[in-house]
Amino acid sequence: MTRAGKRHADAWSAIVDLLVANGVDTCFGLPGDDLELLRALDAAGLDLVPCRDQRNAMYMATGYALQSGRLAVCALGKGPAVTHAATGLLEARESGAPVLVLAAGVAERRRGSGGFQELDQVAVTAPLVRWAHRVGHPDRVVPATVTALTRAAGPPPGPVYLEIPDDVRTAEVLVTGPRPTPPEPLVLEPGPVTWGPALAAIGASRRPVVLVGGGMRHSNGDGAVERFAEHLGAALFTTASGRGAVDERHPLFCGVAGLYAAAPARALWASCDLVVSLAGRLEETVVEGGTPWPPVEVVQVNVDPAGLSAEFSGPRVLGDARHAVLGWSRALGEHRKAEHADATEAWAGEIADVRKAMSREVEAELVRAAALPGVRIAELLAALDATADEPRVLVQENGLQDMWSYCFPFHVGGGSIVPSEQTPLGFGAAAAIGVKRAAPDHEVTAFIGDGAFLAARADIAVAAPAHGGVLYVVLCNGGYGWLDAQRARLGLDADRYPFTRPGAPPPMVDGPDIRCRVLRDKSALTSEILAARRFCSQGGTAVLMVPVAPDDIPPPIRDAEVVPQ
């Protein structure tokens, strides 16, 4: 405990003292001219991952928070530094990542005078965060920081913005009482669940689907969701952001729902009689992306009222999804299994048949790929999966061809970090560095396009010497495949609108801590990946550039007819 009357030389020292008390050990960012924050971090033994681009700093912090479930900290300057980070704030908000943004600000006496980098930063950031605040006096530094930490943690978790003006930053901060502490969470065992609309709908269902969203990421370590699905005999799907929350090797798992679902899974989805949505937002790629939503009731449960959609009929439950599945399982008891035994057995058989059909599709795709020239993305993913150790994390982008990695079962097992529905370019490329910081004992593979790689290239190079260990698999089509596909759909001139230059790898990244290779030869696929993984295991950063064909598009995306055939 901090002694009453403790004096801090400046605001940063007081803030860092609270960060240490809250278990923070790493910060990401590109501070402004005032480097007193670095001095405070050094004194406390905290590490800063220095960045070249504020967007990438936010992506790294978001990746760290999503992987660990703990608070991430991002330090910024003022003015354009804040606006540059706004895209990352948007992504952190949509991903529900607990990130504390610490920004500099113009001194109060300079406000309205056209001061250097003066901007109403609270007005800029407020729509993008759970709380935005400018500290107006040294006495408010500690209470404001505690409030920011509390709001970032949630529930629901999300980013917060705290601005420290120059005059407050340099002032002495006196703590005149015990250090304020965040609220202690009261963890309760879920009590008995009374019979209501949600439980009645679940109990009556014969062909249920359980859809797991990103809010379950750190709430299912003991497999409660899988046991709930077993109890119901339900098909188990995730949203893209929900990947990693459940065991993808489970016999009820049928992949990612919506746009990314394989054809057999789409048919299964269309024939269900109930959807139970756990801690998800029912985003557009799930609801409208290629797989027609069945005309059935949807039971939604979410701790965040904003996560409960009003677009669907069916009961909506405001609460913790983990508590819901535990309580529902107990309330339903064994009578559901006995009452619906025949229907459950038939539905389970259909689920098993769908999984077999998807496996056959994968086998056929790999046979087709082997007969084609160059490295095809399906065989690249198969080789990555076969060479990976446990524990592992796949960090993804959301471009046309890197969406292969969303499609079950081209990559199974391990964890997954994906961008939210906002899908900002370069998120996965930079977030992988934060993921590795959060999980240093995990194999981290970033599966990205060359446009995303270029967006994060400078920060990948800067982070490599001290913060390496990531394998970057870069699909090279010379630009933006999705835009080029839409250009082709409209019949626009490729020379006038050159969104891609197929097969052209981006410039290499140099340095003794970086290993770059261009991978064109199928026969070298496994050996090159294994060599790259060995380099990463020794702390280096490995980059495999893989030229890809324009027509190498994931089957579900082709089936959805969202790109020209």
Side-chain angles (χ1 to χ4, degrees):
M1 293 291 292
T2 301
R3 296 187 303 274
K6 182 173 181 179
R7 294 180 180 273
H8 296 279
D10 53 36
W12 290 136
S13 298
I15 291 170
V16 168
D17 188 50
L18 289 168
L19 296 182
V20 171
N22 280 268
V24 174
D25 59 8
T26 304
C27 299
F28 305 86
L30 179 59
D33 296 339
D34 54 289
L35 298 184
E36 291 92 340
L37 173 60
L38 303 188
R39 185 172 59 192
L41 292 173
D42 286 347
L46 270 64
D47 195 13
L48 176 79
V49 179
C51 303
R52 291 294 185 266
D53 184 306
Q54 292 89 350
R55 289 171 300 180
N56 291 334
M58 279 298 307
Y59 297 158
M60 290 180 202
T62 301
Y64 180 99
L66 291 177
Q67 175 64 30
S68 67
R70 303 191 304 273
L71 177 78
V73 177
C74 182
L76 305 173
K78 63 185 78 161
V82 173
T83 58
H84 209 203
T87 302
L89 279 173
L90 174 63
E91 177 58 31
R93 185 194 70 183
E94 293 300 298
S95 294
V99 179
L100 168 61
V101 176
L102 297 171
V106 170
E108 190 63 32
R109 63 184 176 81
R110 299 293 302 165
R111 298 258 289 187
S113 68
F116 180 66
Q117 295 185 331
E118 180 183 354
L119 176 70
D120 188 349
Q121 294 165 192
V122 169
V124 169
T125 57
L128 305 175
V129 296
R130 289 186 49 73
W131 187 61
H133 181 69
R134 175 181 164 95
V135 180
H137 190 277
D139 290 349
R140 304 304 306 161
V141 168
V142 170
T145 304
V146 172
T147 300
L149 294 168
T150 304
R151 296 205 180 193
V160 296
Y161 170 85
L162 194 63
E163 181 178 328
I164 313 298
D166 289 340
D167 49 347
V168 174
R169 166 180 60 82
T170 57
E172 181 182 76
V173 174
L174 175 64
V175 180
T176 57
R179 175 199 290 139
T181 58
E184 178 184 354
L186 183 60
V187 180
L188 299 174
E189 284 298 315
V193 176
T194 56
W195 202 268
L199 198 52
I202 294 169
S205 172
R206 305 295 199 274
R207 304 167 65 85
V209 160
V210 172
L211 176 63
V212 182
M216 290 300 298
R217 182 180 298 277
H218 295 286
S219 300
N220 190 42
D222 61 350
V225 171
E226 290 90 332
R227 293 196 301 274
F228 177 61
E230 292 165 6
H231 194 84
L232 300 183
L236 190 57
F237 287 83
T238 71
T239 66
S241 60
R243 286 193 74 182
V246 299
D247 180 7
E248 296 193 359
R249 296 183 177 91
H250 193 279
L252 293 174
F253 182 71
C254 295
V256 181
L259 179 63
Y260 312 112
R266 293 180 180 188
L268 184 79
W269 180 275
S271 65
C272 75
D273 66 0
L274 180 74
V275 176
V276 182
S277 174
L278 302 176
R281 295 185 178 183
L282 299 178
E283 52 260 36
E284 186 177 337
T285 52
V286 173
V287 174
E288 300 179 15
T291 306
W293 193 277
V296 300
E297 282 197 323
V298 181
V299 175
Q300 302 177 59
V301 55
N302 205 306
V303 74
D304 182 3
L308 293 172
S309 173
E311 306 299 321
F312 300 89
S313 63
R316 298 186 300 158
V317 178
L318 182 62
D320 182 87
R322 173 180 169 79
H323 284 189
V325 298
L326 292 173
W328 287 338
S329 295
R330 282 203 294 265
L332 289 168
E334 293 298 318
H335 80 275
R336 175 186 159 81
K337 292 184 178 180
E339 184 180 350
H340 299 326
D342 291 343
T344 300
E345 184 176 350
W347 186 232
E350 290 187 47
I351 295 169
D353 288 344
V354 162
R355 286 175 54 85
K356 291 176 184 176
M358 289 193 292
S359 293
R360 288 194 297 270
E361 285 192 352
V362 171
E363 292 169 3
E365 185 68 42
L366 291 173
V367 169
R368 188 183 78 87
L372 295 171
V375 176
R376 305 295 289 190
I377 301 173
E379 53 193 351
L380 174 61
L381 279 167
L384 286 168
D385 195 47
T387 57
D389 288 330
E390 297 287 355
R392 52 176 154 152
V393 184
L394 183 69
V395 187
Q396 295 141 281
E397 287 280 338
N398 195 252
L400 175 62
Q401 293 176 311
D402 25 339
M403 280 193 285
W404 267 98
S405 58
Y406 288 65
C407 302
F408 172 89
F410 292 115
H411 179 88
V412 296
S416 173
I417 297 292
V418 303
S420 72
E421 197 79 344
Q422 297 292 338
T423 66
L425 178 71
F427 168 77
I433 297 170
V435 170
K436 186 65 177 178
R437 287 287 306 192
D441 60 331
H442 286 49
E443 267 190 3
V444 177
T445 302
F447 196 76
I448 62 177
D450 49 5
F453 178 79
L454 285 174
R457 181 176 181 270
D459 277 306
I460 292 170
V462 168
H467 309 287
V470 178
L471 167 58
Y472 288 90
V473 179
V474 184
L475 307 179
C476 301
N477 60 14
Y480 305 112
W482 186 272
L483 289 177
D484 194 63
Q486 303 312 316
R487 175 205 57 74
R489 181 176 62 83
L490 296 175
L492 297 173
D493 185 359
D495 291 331
R496 186 174 180 186
Y497 302 104
F499 290 114
T500 64
R501 294 177 57 205
M508 291 289 189
V509 182
D510 298 322
D513 305 287
I514 301 177
R515 182 183 193 273
C516 285
R517 296 289 188 275
V518 177
L519 186 53
R520 302 179 188 271
D521 183 1
K522 288 178 187 285
S523 65
L525 193 58
T526 299
S527 61
E528 283 286 3
I529 292 173
L530 286 172
R533 291 202 187 281
R534 285 193 297 270
F535 190 77
C536 291
S537 70
Q538 297 165 2
T541 295
V543 182
L544 292 178
M545 304 282 190
V546 187
V548 294
D551 64 348
D552 198 353
I553 298 171
I557 307 301
R558 293 199 307 259
D559 295 345
E561 299 182 348
V562 293
V563 294
Q565 306 302 305

